[in-house]
Amino acid sequence: MNEVSQQILGRLSSASGFLSGAALSREFGMTRSAVWKHIMMLRRGGYGIEALSGRGYRLSSMTGTPSGPEVARFLNTSAFAREMVWEEELVSTNTTARVLAGKGAAEGLVVSADRQTGGRGRLGRSWESAPGVNIHCSLVLRPRVPLQRIPQLTLLVAVAIHKAIASLLPDLSAAIKWPNDIYSDGRKLAGVLCEMESEADCAHFVVVGIGINVNQESFPPHLSQSATSLLLASGRIASRPQLLAEIFNHFEPLYHEWCEVDDLAFVLDYLERHAWLKDREVEVSRLHGKIAGRVSGLSALGELRVVESDGTVHLIGSGEATLKQ
Ligand code: BTN
């Protein structure tokens, strides 16, 4: 896909309905038959574009595949996702990325698949996702930071995902749910699963797994109340390769900055402004029991600050927060 096709794609994906051939030819300074050639090129690249005489063009179906060459068109990173392994089906992109990292894969390698047969979530849960419409990918990192800082990566990636979604769908209201989710309208849009291999004091590698419900039109009954997709939340079809590239475009500089500093202070303001749990009554399950109280914010280390009704303040490093009914 060339640059002009890419710009036309961007224009179609930000439009809420049909765009006429005449309008596109005016906007891009080309003939209508040249516009048509770009549409054909985009269709060959996997983008579903309806063409109706008298109305024009509309992006209508699943857009592109989040594979290396497609993602590369939107990338401006130096290392992240410059090398990509793409498979139609994997058990879990995290599992494949861990194997490759164990064999020496360089920082920045991304494994991406159109469907997973054994996708994993946090806390031993499974990650269910419809094939061919969502993002399932894993990034290999080799951070040289103290081991206790590694959990902060989950929130840092959540910032990058949130920023990427905001850049593609600025009208969508999405929020970061500590420690690893992106929510919209109280339902989960995306999750992050960081796994690592380490010695007692240093990480050999971290695999950052990202699952995003992008163009999924419906969910099975057991998920329909708790899950949503960008399509359901915004009414827009999103380009998976563009979204994936945007995540790494945002994440790479954040990651390099994070490696140079001591904590998450440099993104704390962003995390607080887009926090889904802020000022809510929650119950947090931890390894050793539960804590109930009101969330007053996050610490620079990424801990959730929960204030109990008697005023006791807890800083919680890991756990699962649910809203109190
Ligand atoms: C969670 O919310 O519990 C985390 C979900 C993480 C899912 C992604 S999909 C890509 C990668 N491979 C996996 O098996 N899991 C992560």
Side-chain angles (χ1 to χ4, degrees):
M1 197 204 313
N2 64 33
E3 208 174 302
V4 181
S5 301
Q6 208 170 304
Q7 284 168 2
I8 292 177
L9 178 64
R11 189 68 189 80
L12 287 171
S13 65
S14 63
S16 51
F18 280 89
L19 274 179
S20 74
L24 284 171
S25 79
R26 252 195 324 276
E27 193 170 332
F28 290 93
M30 61 175 73
T31 62
R32 288 173 69 169
S33 78
V35 170
W36 174 243
K37 281 187 188 141
H38 285 288
I39 298 289
M40 294 302 283
M41 227 180 301
L42 288 168
R43 280 180 171 170
R44 281 197 294 277
Y47 295 88
I49 298 173
E50 277 177 83
L52 274 188
S53 70
R55 298 193 68 189
Y57 304 107
R58 183 174 68 171
L59 202 54
S60 60
S61 71
M62 186 194 98
T63 56
T65 48
S67 59
E70 296 240 359
V71 173
R73 291 183 187 112
F74 302 99
L75 272 184
N76 57 36
T77 58
S78 56
F80 286 14
R82 289 292 171 186
E83 195 190 341
M84 268 185 82
V85 172
W86 159 257
E87 298 288 347
E88 300 237 321
E89 180 179 297
L90 285 173
V91 174
S92 152
T93 56
N94 265 33
T95 305
T96 302
R98 285 176 74 152
V99 170
L100 295 174
K103 290 180 181 163
E107 178 161 274
L109 172 81
V110 169
V111 177
S112 169
D114 229 12
R115 61 175 172 273
Q116 298 185 118
T117 53
R120 296 198 300 278
R122 275 177 78 238
L123 309 169
R125 291 192 282 246
S126 62
W127 180 256
E128 288 179 50
S129 165
V133 289
N134 293 330
I135 283 176
H136 325 96
C137 75
S138 303
L139 166 73
V140 173
L141 295 177
R142 297 188 179 276
R144 292 189 187 160
V145 301
L147 206 51
Q148 66 271 20
R149 291 197 61 208
I150 300 296
Q152 295 169 13
L153 276 171
T154 305
L155 278 170
L156 198 64
V157 178
V159 169
I161 298 172
H162 189 277
K163 286 185 174 206
I165 291 174
S167 67
L168 258 67
L169 298 167
D171 298 334
L172 178 76
S173 139
I176 298 169
K177 177 177 179 276
W178 179 90
N180 73 313
D181 295 335
I182 306 290
Y183 266 48
S184 183
D185 290 335
R187 289 164 197 218
K188 183 157 162 165
L189 266 178
V192 176
L193 174 66
C194 287
E195 298 179 312
M196 72 170 169
E197 298 232 346
S198 71
E199 284 173 42
D201 56 356
C202 90
H204 295 304
F205 62 79
V206 178
V207 165
V208 178
I210 300 172
I212 308 179
N213 301 326
V214 184
N215 294 321
Q216 188 160 343
E217 289 177 3
S218 62
F219 288 86
H222 66 287
L223 292 177
S224 63
Q225 294 308 306
S226 58
T228 188
S229 68
L230 293 177
L231 174 61
L232 291 172
S234 72
R236 298 269 173 91
I237 288 173
S239 157
R240 292 186 294 158
Q242 189 178 7
L243 177 61
L244 200 52
E246 277 302 311
I247 291 171
F248 297 124
N249 291 342
H250 285 287
F251 187 50
E252 193 180 68
L254 287 172
Y255 172 71
H256 288 308
E257 186 165 356
W258 177 80
C259 287
E260 297 301 318
V261 296
D262 294 327
D263 53 33
L264 289 170
F266 71 109
V267 285
L268 206 53
D269 180 54
Y270 193 93
L271 282 165
E272 294 269 3
R273 269 188 292 123
H274 300 285
W276 192 67
L277 293 175
K278 184 87 190 281
D279 297 326
R280 295 191 193 236
E281 293 291 335
V282 297
E283 188 169 79
V284 187
S285 307
R286 304 175 305 165
L287 231 41
H288 306 292
K290 294 182 175 175
I291 289 178
R294 178 172 286 266
V295 173
S296 72
L298 287 175
S299 75
L301 300 178
E303 302 150 315
L304 191 70
R305 197 183 310 107
V306 177
V307 185
E308 279 188 288
S309 53
D310 66 0
T312 313
V313 178
H314 296 269
L315 287 173
I316 303 173
S318 68
E320 177 76 353
T322 44
L323 292 188
K324 270 178 71 182
Q325 299 306 323

